[in-house]
């Protein structure tokens, strides 16, 4: 019998003990439930609701001012006045008053409830002598709500003995504000709504390092944490972070905890007011732990393992075990004596063994609660670590509630099991101080500070944010400048030069032969041999560097270097004995006087070679060949990279009649009707026009869109105010610099990097355009943005990282939209030229910004559709337009020259 007795008690204790592998399974299921809650598709059915709170930052200690807080408690309303000094908030002052709530209010109408709360506010303000002072109020509302803004939240369902009518589904912030206004307290404005979990996290964020997780273990249980906003599919804004109120008490309502539920849990659930709901909370919350213990004792007593000879009918009464008694039995040195005292108070006559077993039961029930909380917390921490793509996560976790504050056993198990289940996370548990009062004031202050900062940021970025009317105006200006550029009388003063290229046709597929191509458009120079055959195009190429000294030296040095590179290439390709037609891609503004004659108008892209402007670049190349005694040169065509891009894509798509470059620089070309080109003789057919649109606006027509940041960038370029206005809005050479100057302005306004000086950010070109492409990538965690900024010696918080990303997005969006406005002018002109109701045309496009930036092409195409709805424009990415395209221009020219 003694052995049987021992095994029956052990069986009860073992049923309440969850092994580590089972806790690991609980953690995995919690993670799965979290993902369902975050997903738009599965959110409605998720047991862990993962509700957005619209709190997008943690405090930084600068929050300052007087604030009101109203907290709706279990049967009370607590009102507080809180003064935040803004000095790290280490010396917060507060006054509070608690009002008891009549039970009929808790179960009456919603109007009566909110009127009562408003009356409490009015009495409190009168009592502290601040009845007319303007106050922002934070509302602590500890019930499940669906928030759509920080100050807009619809009640999902009541709990905790509340059942007021006509509130569920309504905005509780609005209901409170209406009740406050009824009392003519017009100086009190409800700014923020939160629950006690969020408030708890906010109080512990004052310890120097931000606190990003909060855990409540009280009558109920809940958790919140700072999530990556891009993973919260229920909200539109996906930048930065957002605090998620998990509402994890309902975890397991779908059966996810069925394998660890005991008969005791089932009894507690059946006797509750909401059977089948809040299964996790009923295993963890102090409202239920005493009931679990009571049912264990009933079962053991029925098996004659406890209280033999005592009348145990008292154990059938709910609520006979209070949490305070349980804690005293577990915690105090006289735990056995406390157990005896509690049991005798119920009219039982416990033996010493009974007291020992009751103490064991209390310990195992509380230990299980701690272990389950740890499994849930470990899931949250692992999710944070994974979503930020970190190998290790260091995080502060704020904890509040009776169990944590009063039970050392609970604390120890929570810490140890969390570390076991989430070994990749270094966790510091911080006890919260008045999360519902002080924390709510901090949330309210934080929301005001962020609103002020948001207003300042919006003001700063407003000039870069273009409206539909702005873009239509740019489109009209581009069209106007195009017409001026095409006119014989107006061409010389037009900012868009509209240069004839003497390319009068696109490939038709009959081109054959071997051709050389040169590609000069930046710091790299390429030589290619291109074989155009029936089965396609085959190429070989070699890249040569142009040293900075040559880029800024003399014309002879530059063209001698080019000839040396051609000779080296032909020698390595065993082509020295052949004289091949050569197409020369020369990506600088030229006035073309023939297909093989192009006069350089100006240098761009960092070149400033002397003795070249005003000269025929093909002739300069021929003269260099003579100096080097190189006889194998036959220049057939001088082409810029934009025309080459159009020709390259035209080989694959006959509808390709536009070329677009958006890379280090930007330009466009298109097939214009010869009758519209007054600068060239002849009216028949079409000719490709090299727009040289980078200079669009040099005459001042775009000054309304030229911001202070554009001016700062322009002032530091080698071509101030020239060949640049449109290009400096759009091209990759300048976007990083625009961003850098905006970031410096944000630092100066104390809106970024805590206003601390950033010496590295003062360095020209330190913020490269490639960083925009990386920072704006979909799915890139803020932690990775932080890492990019840290590489630049910029110590950014997550909030800073989100703001940097917003600046990058604003600058790149403007570039894409302006590019689209220019292109809209081109396609509309082509449509009107041809008398079409609808134009179908392909744009051959090249350039690193278009190809590498994650959103540029999408924004460009969407804006073009909006501005030119009668044009069906297809974009075809060029494969080596400046190399293959130059060879194809030469091939088309040779085809046309054949008898």
């Amino acid at each position: 019998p003694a052995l049987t007795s021992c095994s029956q008690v052990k069986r009860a204790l073992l049923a309440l003990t969850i092994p580590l592998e089972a806790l690991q399974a609980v953690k995995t299921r919690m993670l799965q439930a979290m993902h369902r809650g975050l997903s738009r598709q599965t959110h409605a059915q998720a047991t862990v609701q993962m509700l957005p709170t619209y709190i997008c930052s943690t405090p930084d200690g600068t929050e300052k001012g007087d604030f009101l807080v109203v907290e709706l408690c279990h049967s009370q309303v607590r009102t507080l006045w809180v003064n935040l000094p803004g000095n790290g908030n280490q010396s917060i002052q507060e006054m509070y008053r608690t009002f008891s709530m009549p039970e009929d209010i808790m179960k009456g109408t919603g109007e009566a409830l909110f009127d009562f709360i408003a009356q409490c506010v009015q009495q409190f303000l009168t009592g502290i002598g601040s009845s007319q002072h303007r106050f922002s109020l934070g509302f602590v509302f500890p019930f499940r709500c669906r928030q759509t803004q920080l100050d807009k939240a619809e009640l999902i369902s009541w709990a905790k003995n509340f059942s007021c009518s006509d509130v569920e589904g309504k905005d509780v912030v609005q209901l409170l504000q209406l009740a406050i206004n009824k009392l003519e307290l017009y100086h009190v404005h409800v700014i923020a709504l939160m629950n006690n979990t969020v408030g708890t996290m906010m109080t512990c964020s004052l310890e120097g390092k931000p606190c990003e997780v909060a855990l409540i273990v009280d009558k109920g249980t809940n958790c919140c944490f700072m999530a990556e906003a891009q993973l919260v599919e229920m909200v539109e804004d996906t930048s930065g972070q957002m605090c998620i109120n998990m509402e994890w008490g309902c975890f397991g309502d779908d059966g996810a905890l069925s394998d660890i539920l005991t008969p005791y849990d089932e009894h507690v659930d059946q006797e509750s007011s909401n059977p089948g709901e809040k299964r996790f909370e009923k295993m963890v919350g102090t409202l239920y732990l005493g009931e679990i213990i009571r049912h264990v004792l009933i079962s053991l007593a029925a098996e004659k393992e406890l209280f033999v000879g005592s009348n145990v009918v008292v154990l059938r009464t709910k609520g006979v075990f209070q949490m305070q008694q349980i804690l005293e039995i577990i915690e105090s040195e006289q735990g056995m004596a406390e157990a005896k005292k509690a049991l005798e108070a119920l009219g039982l006559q416990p033996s010493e063994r009974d007291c020992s077993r009751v103490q064991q039961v209390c310990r195992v029930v509380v230990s299980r609660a701690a272990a389950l909380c740890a499994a849930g917390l470990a899931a949250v921490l692992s999710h944070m670590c994974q979503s930020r793509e970190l190998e290790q996560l260091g995080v502060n976790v704020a904890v509040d509630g009776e169990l944590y504050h009063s039970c050392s056993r609970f604390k120890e198990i929570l810490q140890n099991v969390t570390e076991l289940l989430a070994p990749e996370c270094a966790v510091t548990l911080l006890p919260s101080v008045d999360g519902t009062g002080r924390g709510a004031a901090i949330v309210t202050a934080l929301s005001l500070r962020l609103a002020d900062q948001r207003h300042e940021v919006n003001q700063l970025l407003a000039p870069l944010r273009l409206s539909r009317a702005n873009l239509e105006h740019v489109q009209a200006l581009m069209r106007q400048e195009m017409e001026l550029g095409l006119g014989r009388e107006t061409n010389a003063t037009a900012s868009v030069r509209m240069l004839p290229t003497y390319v009068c046709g696109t490939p038709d597929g009959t081109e054959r032969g071997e051709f050389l191509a040169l590609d000069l458009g930046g710091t790299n120079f390429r030589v290619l041999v291109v074989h155009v055959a029936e089965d396609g195009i085959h190429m070989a190429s070699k890249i040569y560097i142009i040293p900075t000294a040559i880029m800024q030296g003399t014309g002879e040095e530059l063209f001698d270097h080019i000839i040396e590179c051609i000779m080296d290439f032909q020698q390595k390709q065993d082509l020295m004995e052949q004289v091949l037609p050569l197409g020369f891609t020369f990506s600088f503004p030229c006035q073309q006087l023939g297909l093989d004659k192009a006069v350089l108008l100006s240098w761009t892209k960092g070149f400033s070679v002397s003795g070249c402007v005003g000269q025929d670049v093909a002739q300069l190349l021929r003269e260099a060949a003579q100096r080097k005694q190189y006889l194998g040169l036959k220049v057939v065509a001088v082409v810029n990279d934009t025309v080459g891009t159009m020709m390259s894509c035209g080989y694959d798509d006959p509808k390709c009649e536009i070329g677009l470059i958006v890379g280090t620089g930007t330009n466009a070309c298109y097939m214009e009707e010869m009758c519209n080109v007054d600068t060239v003789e002849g009216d028949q057919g079409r000719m490709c026009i090299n727009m040289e649109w980078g200079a669009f606006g040099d005459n001042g027509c775009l000054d309304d869109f030229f911001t202070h940041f554009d001016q700062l960038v322009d002032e530091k370029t080698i071509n101030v105010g020239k060949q640049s206005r449109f290009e400096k809005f759009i091209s990759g050479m300048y976007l990083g610099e625009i961003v850098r100057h905006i970031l410096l302005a944000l630092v100066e306004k104390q809106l970024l990097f805590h206003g601390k000086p950033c010496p590295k950010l003062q360095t020209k070109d330190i913020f490269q355009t490639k960083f925009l492409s990386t920072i704006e990538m979909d799915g890139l965690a803020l932690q990775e943005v932080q890492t990019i900024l840290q590489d630049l010696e910029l110590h950014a918080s997550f909030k800073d990282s989100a703001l940097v990303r917003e600046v990058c997005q604003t600058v790149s969006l403007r570039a894409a939209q302006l590019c689209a406005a220019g292109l809209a002018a081109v396609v509309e002109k082509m449509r009107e030229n041809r008398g079409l109701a609808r134009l179908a045309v392909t744009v051959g496009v090249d350039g690193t910004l278009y190809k590498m930036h994650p959103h540029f092409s999408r924004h460009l195409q969407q804006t073009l559709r909006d501005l030119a709805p009668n044009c069906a424009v297809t974009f075809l990415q060029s494969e080596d337009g400046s190399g293959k395209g130059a060879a194809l221009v030469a091939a088309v020219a040779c085809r046309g020259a054949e008898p």
Side-chain angles (χ1 to χ4, degrees):
L3 185 61
T4 305
S5 163
C6 180
S7 65
Q8 286 170 337
V9 174
K10 275 187 177 177
R11 189 162 55 247
L13 296 176
L14 280 172
L16 290 159
T17 303
I18 306 175
L20 192 61
E21 58 270 22
L23 289 171
Q24 187 67 56
V26 171
K27 174 194 167 181
T28 301
R29 292 171 204 160
M30 178 68 87
L31 274 167
Q32 292 166 348
M34 289 167 66
H35 291 148
R36 285 193 291 272
L38 289 170
S39 167
R40 191 184 299 275
Q41 284 73 32
T42 54
H43 174 80
Q45 295 78 41
T47 55
V48 180
Q49 285 277 284
M50 306 294 283
L51 302 172
T53 66
Y54 294 85
I55 293 167
C56 300
S57 180
T58 52
D60 64 5
T62 63
E63 294 76 21
K64 188 175 182 180
D66 293 342
F67 301 93
L68 279 182
V69 174
V70 172
E71 179 190 0
L72 184 58
C73 309
H74 297 292
S75 58
Q76 297 173 325
V77 171
R78 188 166 73 124
T79 54
L80 298 92
W81 165 87
V82 182
N83 172 264
L84 301 175
N87 59 358
N89 291 329
Q90 298 302 311
S91 51
I92 294 174
Q93 295 179 315
E94 50 187 58
M95 292 186 285
Y96 69 91
R97 181 177 170 187
T98 302
F99 299 85
S100 295
M101 186 184 301
E103 192 169 340
D104 61 327
I105 294 283
M106 297 167 63
K107 300 186 184 301
T109 66
E111 185 178 11
L113 170 67
F114 288 100
D115 284 349
F116 178 78
I117 296 171
Q119 288 160 15
C120 295
V121 172
Q122 186 181 48
Q123 290 179 43
F124 176 68
L125 289 175
T126 302
I128 65 173
S130 294
S131 55
Q132 294 304 314
H133 185 80
R134 183 179 175 84
F135 280 110
S136 297
L137 182 146
F139 185 21
V140 182
F141 190 73
F143 302 97
R144 287 176 66 201
C145 288
R146 183 173 291 104
Q147 271 186 271
T148 52
Q149 296 173 31
L150 189 55
D151 60 351
K152 187 176 176 62
E154 294 177 0
L155 176 65
I156 295 173
S157 61
W158 288 112
K160 304 169 187 173
N161 297 320
F162 277 77
S163 57
C164 299
S165 62
D166 204 28
V167 180
E168 291 181 358
K170 292 192 175 177
D171 179 5
V172 293
V173 174
Q174 187 181 40
L175 293 175
L176 177 58
Q177 189 67 64
L178 288 171
I180 288 171
N181 291 349
K182 269 200 283 186
L183 297 178
E184 299 184 357
L185 299 175
Y186 299 118
H187 55 292
V188 177
H189 300 279
V190 187
I191 298 295
L193 177 135
M194 73 229 71
N195 66 8
N196 54 344
T197 320
V198 176
T200 293
M201 185 179 78
M202 289 294 168
T203 59
C204 292
S205 288
L206 304 177
E207 307 296 322
K209 183 182 175 184
C211 180
E212 298 185 90
V213 186
L215 170 65
I216 300 286
V217 197
D218 207 75
K219 289 184 170 61
T221 183
N222 196 14
C223 185
C224 71
F225 69 99
M226 296 303 292
E228 300 292 299
Q230 63 190 4
L231 300 178
V232 187
E233 295 180 10
M234 300 304 294
V235 297
E236 296 303 320
D237 184 8
T238 59
S239 63
Q241 293 183 303
M242 182 174 288
C243 179
I244 293 298
N245 167 29
M246 292 178 66
E247 291 295 346
W248 76 2
C250 295
F251 173 51
D253 288 4
D254 57 355
L257 298 175
S258 57
D259 58 334
I260 59 170
L261 288 171
T262 66
Y264 321 118
D265 297 306
E266 299 292 4
H267 287 306
V268 170
D269 180 57
Q270 288 161 16
E271 291 178 0
S272 70
S273 60
N274 54 351
E277 297 176 16
K278 298 210 168 183
R279 299 313 300 260
F280 190 64
E281 184 163 286
K282 287 172 184 171
M283 300 172 80
V284 171
T286 59
L287 194 63
Y288 304 99
L289 297 190
E291 289 302 286
I292 296 170
I293 291 166
R294 182 173 67 84
H295 278 286
V296 175
L297 301 189
I298 288 171
S299 174
L300 291 176
E303 293 171 347
K304 305 295 184 188
E305 301 306 327
L306 287 177
F307 315 130
V308 177
S310 294
N311 184 348
V312 295
V313 69
V314 68
L315 294 178
R316 303 204 174 274
T317 306
K318 282 182 70 175
V320 294
F321 282 104
Q322 298 300 311
M323 198 63 221
Q324 188 55 43
Q325 293 173 310
I326 296 166
L327 292 172
E328 286 168 354
I329 290 169
I330 294 172
E331 288 290 298
S332 89
E333 291 180 10
Q334 296 82 32
M336 290 276 286
E338 293 293 342
K340 185 173 175 29
K341 178 179 164 185
L343 295 168
E344 287 178 345
L346 296 176
L348 301 169
Q349 291 91 44
S351 65
E352 188 173 339
R353 188 184 68 169
D354 290 339
C355 294
S356 173
R357 288 180 172 175
V358 168
Q359 189 181 45
Q360 282 181 289
V361 170
C362 290
R363 283 176 176 164
V364 78
V365 168
V366 168
S367 297
R368 184 183 71 157
L372 285 169
C373 280
L377 181 58
V380 171
L381 299 175
S382 290
H383 171 86
M384 291 172 70
C385 193
Q386 290 163 14
S387 64
R388 297 176 188 184
E389 299 185 9
L390 297 174
E391 291 183 8
Q392 287 283 324
L393 172 71
V395 67
N396 286 345
V397 178
V399 193
D400 203 357
E402 186 180 10
L403 255 185
Y404 183 78
H405 288 305
S406 306
C407 184
S408 59
R409 184 183 189 85
F410 184 93
K411 280 186 197 176
E412 185 180 349
I413 293 170
L414 178 64
Q415 179 81 51
N416 293 342
V417 176
T418 301
E419 289 173 357
L420 282 170
L421 295 176
E424 75 278 23
C425 302
V427 186
T428 304
L429 300 179
L430 301 173
S432 173
V433 180
D434 192 12
T436 52
R438 184 177 295 188
I442 292 168
V443 170
T444 307
L446 175 63
S447 69
L448 290 174
R449 176 171 66 78
L450 293 179
D452 288 343
Q453 289 179 350
R454 170 46 45 193
H455 178 69
E456 284 196 76
V457 168
N458 286 342
Q459 275 193 316
L460 192 84
L461 296 178
L464 294 107
R465 290 174 168 156
L466 303 178
S467 65
R468 171 70 178 264
N470 292 150
L471 295 171
E472 287 173 346
H473 185 46
V474 173
Q475 179 182 352
L477 288 170
M478 177 66 87
R479 176 65 181 267
Q480 179 180 305
E481 291 294 307
M482 288 170 70
E483 301 291 359
L484 293 172
L486 289 170
R488 187 187 302 272
E489 304 300 324
T490 52
N491 172 268
T493 57
S495 68
V496 181
R497 296 299 303 276
M498 304 295 285
L499 304 173
T501 65
Y502 296 87
V503 173
C504 298
T506 53
D508 64 7
T510 64
E511 298 79 15
R512 298 289 181 270
E514 263 192 325
F515 305 89
L516 278 179
L518 310 183
D519 174 17
L520 176 63
T523 53
N524 291 336
F525 165 63
R526 283 190 310 153
V527 187
L528 306 90
V529 60
V530 180
H531 183 66
V532 184
E534 192 172 344
D535 64 344
I537 293 177
H538 310 280
M539 297 188 296
S541 66
K542 184 169 177 9
I543 294 174
Y544 297 89
I545 302 296
I546 298 183
T548 304
I550 290 180
M551 286 174 64
Q552 295 171 4
T554 67
E556 283 194 6
E557 290 170 339
L558 173 62
F559 285 94
D560 284 356
H561 179 68
I562 292 171
I563 291 294
E564 287 168 5
C565 294
I566 295 172
M567 293 170 68
D568 175 76
F569 178 77
Q570 283 201 275
Q571 198 163 24
K572 286 177 176 169
Q573 293 291 326
D574 198 22
L575 297 170
M576 286 301 286
E577 302 304 316
Q578 297 187 49
V579 178
L580 300 178
L582 183 144
F584 184 10
T585 296
F586 189 74
S587 304
F588 302 92
C590 288
Q591 183 176 5
Q592 206 115 8
L593 302 178
L595 189 58
D596 64 348
K597 188 170 184 179
V599 174
L600 176 64
L601 296 175
S602 62
W603 286 113
T604 58
K605 305 174 190 175
F607 278 72
S608 58
V609 180
S610 63
C612 296
V613 173
Q615 301 296 311
D616 174 9
V617 295
Q619 187 58 30
L620 292 175
L621 193 62
R622 292 184 188 108
E623 289 170 2
Q626 287 176 348
R627 283 193 299 273
K628 293 291 180 181
Q629 298 181 342
Y630 170 57
L631 305 176
L633 187 70
K634 181 185 175 184
V635 181
V636 172
V638 179
V639 188
N640 78 357
D641 54 349
T642 320
V643 178
T645 293
M646 182 188 77
M647 295 296 275
S648 172
C649 292
Y651 185 81
D652 299 313
D653 182 350
K655 286 185 180 177
C656 183
E657 296 185 86
I658 301 172
L660 173 68
I661 300 287
V662 197
T664 309
T666 183
N667 194 17
C669 69
Y670 72 103
M671 297 302 291
E672 177 60 89
E673 309 302 310
M674 279 290 290
C675 60
N676 294 332
V677 187
D678 292 347
T679 53
V680 174
E681 298 299 324
D683 289 334
Q684 298 305 308
R686 294 172 183 155
M687 181 181 286
C688 179
I689 295 296
N690 167 25
M691 294 178 67
E692 288 298 341
W693 79 2
F696 172 43
D698 281 6
N699 59 358
C701 68
L702 293 180
D703 283 1
D704 288 347
F705 306 101
F706 196 62
T707 69
H708 171 62
F709 307 113
D710 297 308
Q711 185 176 350
L712 291 170
V713 171
D714 187 44
E715 287 170 355
K716 298 296 182 183
T717 59
I718 61 173
N719 54 349
V720 179
K722 295 188 302 182
Q723 177 51 37
S724 59
R725 188 56 51 92
F726 198 54
E727 184 161 281
K728 288 173 185 173
F729 284 143
I730 292 174
S731 74
M733 179 171 275
Y734 304 104
L735 298 191
E737 274 297 277
I738 297 171
V739 169
R740 184 178 70 85
H741 282 290
I742 296 171
L743 299 185
L744 284 170
L746 289 168
V747 172
E748 187 179 342
K749 288 179 175 289
Q750 308 274 309
L751 298 170
L752 189 66
F753 308 139
H754 298 287
K756 293 176 181 174
C758 303
K760 199 77 176 272
L761 205 53
Q762 301 286 347
T763 308
K764 184 176 182 290
D765 295 327
I766 192 70
F767 201 96
Q768 298 170 34
T769 297
K770 69 178 183 181
F771 294 146
L772 276 75
S773 297
T774 306
I775 286 169
E776 293 184 56
M777 280 172 55
D778 288 329
L780 188 76
L782 283 179
Q783 184 73 38
E784 292 176 85
V785 179
Q786 261 187 328
T787 302
I788 293 167
L789 296 174
Q790 280 166 2
D791 289 343
L792 297 173
E793 297 176 23
L794 302 173
H795 303 293
S797 65
F798 276 5
K799 184 170 73 69
D800 291 332
S801 301
L803 183 51
V804 170
R805 181 151 62 191
E806 182 182 356
V807 170
C808 292
Q809 289 167 339
T810 302
V811 170
S812 64
L813 174 62
R814 182 185 71 153
Q817 289 177 328
L818 286 171
C819 190
L823 205 52
V826 173
V827 296
E828 277 296 308
K829 185 174 193 318
M830 292 175 71
R831 184 182 68 80
E832 291 173 20
N833 284 348
R834 300 174 189 189
L836 299 173
R838 187 166 182 80
L839 172 73
V841 68
T842 297
V843 178
V845 60
D846 204 352
T848 50
L849 187 59
Y850 184 91
K851 288 182 171 180
M852 304 304 292
H853 190 281
H855 304 297
F856 188 94
S857 59
R858 178 169 55 84
H859 290 317
L860 167 61
Q861 292 172 32
Q862 179 58 57
T863 307
L864 180 60
R865 281 194 293 271
D866 293 343
L867 296 176
N870 295 319
C871 299
V873 184
T874 302
F875 286 80
L876 181 61
Q877 284 195 28
S878 168
E879 294 177 12
D880 194 13
S882 49
K884 183 171 81 172
L888 283 166
V889 173
V892 171
C894 291
R895 182 193 76 199
E898 290 170 0

